[in-house]
Amino acid sequence: MTVLALLTLVLHGAIAGLFYAFSMSVMPGLNAVEPAQAEAVMRSINRKILNPWLFLPFMGAPVAALITGLLTDGPAATWYFVAAGVNFVGSFLVTVVANVPMNNALDQGTLPFARYSPRWTAFNTLRTAACFVSLVSVGIALTY
């Protein structure tokens, strides 16, 4: 059980850190170069990021929290369920509904980087906040 709980913590930390890095460094860096360069780099990032190292924390964090919550009792279980729900809504659903469609539009050339970047970053910052709330929730669960 301890291994599963720690895995849950690590997965939440990994996805929170990834999203945080995009909002605080990748996107500002792209905003500092010519839009055509930024579009090309972001297209490349969007293609290369689709790999098991993304999918493991992205999909694994809410699933691990849910499973850990189901196998735990008392207040800790509630905190794991909070982590799973916040992560699912704030990370998974926001990604599917907002960020991925914008990525696809950028890839197809139908959304210029000047319009893409502020919207994408706002939704990414929302994902970041949700993932940090989930991470803290897992941390709280570990205290019980």
Side-chain angles (χ1 to χ4, degrees):
M1 192 61 204
T2 300
V3 171
L4 181 58
L6 290 175
L7 175 64
T8 301
L9 182 71
V10 168
L11 292 173
H12 279 83
I15 198 65
L18 174 70
F19 291 155
Y20 176 76
F22 265 89
S23 282
M24 60 80 56
S25 64
V26 174
M27 296 310 289
L30 291 175
N31 289 332
V33 301
E34 293 297 319
Q37 291 175 312
E39 285 182 24
V41 171
M42 194 64 185
R43 283 186 191 110
S44 179
I45 290 170
N46 287 338
R47 290 181 187 124
K48 296 296 182 185
I49 202 167
L50 298 177
N51 67 71
W53 295 110
L54 167 69
F55 295 131
L56 181 63
F58 178 68
M59 291 191 243
V63 171
L66 178 62
I67 292 169
T68 307
L70 291 171
L71 298 175
T72 304
D73 57 2
T78 301
W79 285 106
Y80 285 118
F81 292 140
V82 167
V86 170
N87 188 287
F88 179 77
V89 172
S91 175
F92 185 81
L93 286 182
V94 169
T95 298
V96 170
V97 171
N99 292 88
V100 168
M102 283 187 273
N103 291 346
N104 293 340
L106 183 74
D107 192 51
Q108 296 163 359
T110 59
L111 182 60
F113 194 79
R115 286 188 30 233
Y116 169 90
S117 181
R119 289 176 50 208
W120 191 95
T121 303
F123 280 107
N124 187 68
T125 301
L126 175 62
R127 297 188 301 185
T128 303
C131 287
F132 276 112
V133 167
S134 296
L135 177 62
V136 169
S137 297
V138 171
I140 293 169
L142 288 169
T143 66
Y144 289 98

